[in-house]
Amino acid sequence: MRMQSGMDFETVLDFVRLPYWKPEVQNPAVELLDVAQKGYPDREDGKEKDVLIESDPYTAIFEWLWSCGVQKIFTVEVLDDGPEPHTNSAIRAALRGGDRDFGVEVWKWKKFDICCETVATAVPSAREIHLYSHGNTAVLRGWACGSSLAKMEKLEKLVIEIHPQSANDEADCKSYEREFIFNIKKQCPWLRSDGVSVTYHKPADQGGKKSGKNKTKQDGKDGRQQDTEAIPKPLEWIKRLEGFKEFMIQIGLPSSIKVALLDDGCRLEGLDGRQKGQSFRADDQEYFIGPCSHGTEMARCIRDVCPIAELYIARLDDSRLVENQKFTIASCHEALQWALDMDVDIISMSWTFERKAKTEYDEYEKKFVDLIKEPLTPKAKKVLLFASLPDRGSMIETHQVIPVGLEGVIRIGSATLYGETSPKNAYERPNYILPGEDIKLSTGEIAHGSSFATAYAAGLAAIVLHCIMAYDSMINDDVAEPLFPMARTRKGMMTIFDNLSRRNADGKKERGAFVQPHHVFGHEFSDSNDKKIGILRNIVNEMLPVAERRTFYD
């Protein structure tokens, strides 16, 4: 079969994604892949051959992958929502038949109302499970009260998608939801507080589809959910930078701005540009292996604003093998040290953890705090540190969390579509706010949170530094001081962000102002070298006015 297909596989696959497919075959014994390669049976002697529907075609696919040497699949995603889904026994056989064990970590086999025992048998070591329901509360009670999920001791996240057949079914499910989550956590006490999420699609009797596409996404910090069908309008904040981004790409420079992203890794699929990475997980899993869902979106946000940034991706330890929190403090310290050793210009940290009480000494927390303070010392090389607010409103004070509560960090909050501070950041005193509400992800889902605003801020700082680097190199003025060292400091970049931000009615700068770079970057651009220099000079003078440069070192 492998020779017939002409395909070769690595032993580890990032994901396997399969559509709904029920091929017709001459005989159930005919190999599925042979049918796919040679086409469906033809007429012979003017007569149609007898055909049957292959009932469980994907069992053969996974058998074939195993025979090709594939030993690990991180994510399995199968659209099995048609009129004839795979049988439970076929699903179990596909993943665990014979001596097979692909070690699947993320399970998205979309068969409605599947038996949880099937899932536990097929993917016993999964970290993330997606289950799909037609709104039958009897099925939900079976999932919640059965012992199958309790066997999955590595489970970290359970996502329930409900596609109700009627408004009454939806109402029944919503009334049972609180009890459902309580029972799930009783069966699986190791799940985090935000480890179970339930989303609802439009009822079938109101025009919804069983295979509904209107998904909902929550950012890991704020735990906020929003049912929505609407496709959000293109992010105007990004679109208004297109001309400036193209202008900077055309200028070209021998070196690029280095941005370190400290997060859960990053999938490289579709990530254009230059990047390097290092994993700090306890199990040494590569920085690009696995879902890496949050870090991948953060990298995309940075590149949306500055496509020419060079990314340094540090994968924090999210394995939960050592500490019972999103990332280990030890890995945060190691990743920060690595980023500083790589001589990056910017460090983006879209996460938080609470500081230990003064009576609780934590060696790695102290080391992490000391590293954050290091660039503040007079002789140290400067680096820009961006961190997101915890998105917890009045529930916690900013100084109680790391890294955003530390001196030397630029604190970023989320802005609504109207440029106002997000309600969950109203008490957290951000330095600046950037877009962070109703963000459309690469998956088409909708997300919210200061995480996104922070990544956009890091991307904006990168393209600003690139602009100033280009200005310094093109002006060639022996008298003028280079502006790049000034812009690479916290004070310098905050001066620039102040001048890129909206001001109040009196023209004064506001704390926590909405950054609107298009007001400065919205020039008419030209291919002429002389005009390029003039455009750069005008933009730089607006970002760093001469009067403010003179007082910079005062």
Side-chain angles (χ1 to χ4, degrees), residues 487-528:
R488 200 175 185 250
T489 65
R490 181 177 187 270
K491 181 179 178 181
M493 187 55 65
M494 289 186 69
T495 298
I496 292 171
F497 272 38
D498 283 344
N499 291 318
L500 295 177
S501 297
R502 183 169 62 192
R503 304 192 178 203
N504 61 25
D506 297 327
K508 297 180 180 180
K509 301 171 186 175
E510 294 180 325
R511 183 184 181 87
F514 181 44
V515 183
Q516 295 179 295
H518 66 273
H519 290 307
V520 173
F521 296 160
H523 288 257
E524 292 292 330
F525 299 104
S526 171
D527 293 333
S528 164

Side-chain angles (χ1 to χ4, degrees), residues 86-107:
H86 287 67
T87 61
N88 289 335
S89 61
I91 294 172
R92 293 193 297 269
L95 277 301
R96 295 296 301 275
D99 61 347
R100 287 195 298 280
D101 183 1
F102 290 104
V104 175
E105 297 190 10
V106 179
W107 173 264

Side-chain angles (χ1 to χ4, degrees), residues 21-306:
W21 185 40
K22 290 293 179 181
E24 293 181 346
V25 295
Q26 176 186 354
N27 186 296
V30 175
E31 288 192 18
L32 172 64
L33 287 178
D34 192 49
V35 174
Q37 293 148 14
K38 297 181 180 178
Y40 295 111
D42 300 322
R43 295 172 181 236
E44 188 177 282
D45 299 326
K47 298 180 180 180
E48 284 190 3
K49 291 184 178 180
D50 292 333
V51 295
L52 296 173
I53 299 298
E54 180 69 31
S55 59
D56 296 310
Y58 288 149
T59 303
I61 292 288
F62 287 97
E63 289 175 352
W64 174 63
L65 289 172
W66 187 262
S67 72
C68 291
V70 175
Q71 298 176 11
K72 172 77 174 178
I73 303 174
F74 280 98
T75 300
V76 167
E77 186 174 345
V78 178
L79 190 62
D80 200 15
D81 61 349
E84 296 183 45
H86 287 67
T87 61
N88 289 335
S89 61
I91 294 172
R92 293 193 297 269
L95 277 301
R96 295 296 301 275
D99 61 347
R100 287 195 298 280
D101 183 1
F102 290 104
V104 175
E105 297 190 10
V106 179
W107 173 264
K108 295 183 178 180
W109 193 302
K110 192 172 185 179
K111 176 183 177 179
F112 283 103
D113 302 327
I114 194 172
C115 171
C116 274
E117 183 64 30
T118 293
V119 179
T121 301
V123 288
S125 58
R127 296 182 297 101
E128 181 177 328
I129 295 293
H130 291 243
L131 298 177
Y132 306 88
S133 167
H134 271 149
N136 186 336
T137 54
V139 173
L140 297 180
R141 290 180 188 279
W143 288 349
C145 300
S147 60
S148 300
L149 291 176
K151 300 175 184 177
M152 306 181 70
E153 297 181 353
K154 294 185 179 180
L155 185 63
E156 299 175 6
K157 183 177 181 181
L158 178 63
V159 179
I160 309 296
E161 284 195 33
I162 297 178
H163 299 252
Q165 298 302 287
S166 68
N168 288 336
D169 288 343
E170 182 179 17
D172 287 346
C173 290
K174 287 185 175 180
S175 66
Y176 174 60
E177 182 179 327
R178 184 184 296 271
E179 182 183 347
F180 172 79
I181 294 175
F182 175 82
N183 287 333
I184 285 287
K185 290 184 176 179
K186 185 177 179 181
Q187 293 287 339
C188 308
W190 55 86
L191 282 174
R192 301 179 317 219
S193 58
D194 60 346
V196 182
S197 64
V198 181
T199 60
Y200 295 86
H201 295 252
K202 191 173 183 178
D205 64 357
Q206 296 179 12
K209 297 180 179 179
K210 290 184 179 181
S211 59
K213 300 294 184 184
N214 45 326
K215 299 180 181 178
T216 305
K217 180 76 173 183
Q218 66 178 26
D219 187 79
K221 294 181 189 309
D222 56 31
R224 172 179 171 182
Q225 296 182 359
Q226 173 184 343
D227 296 331
T228 176
E229 295 178 79
I231 298 175
K233 297 178 182 179
L235 192 57
E236 195 65 25
W237 192 88
I238 295 291
K239 288 188 66 177
R240 291 181 178 181
L241 299 179
E242 292 300 326
F244 179 67
K245 290 192 293 184
E246 185 62 31
F247 177 66
M248 295 312 304
I249 291 172
Q250 290 178 359
I251 286 179
L253 286 174
S255 60
S256 57
I257 302 303
K258 299 177 181 179
V259 181
L261 174 63
L262 279 55
D263 215 289
D264 65 356
C266 178
R267 289 172 58 180
L268 302 182
E269 177 187 358
L271 187 65
D272 299 327
R274 299 169 59 187
Q275 51 268 331
K276 299 178 181 179
Q278 180 70 39
S279 175
F280 297 93
R281 280 176 57 113
D283 57 6
D284 295 325
Q285 188 178 89
E286 291 285 358
Y287 75 93
F288 52 83
I289 297 295
C292 308
S293 54
H294 194 265
T296 299
E297 295 299 337
M298 297 304 102
R300 185 178 69 88
C301 290
I302 293 170
R303 283 271 169 78
D304 278 350
V305 182
C306 186

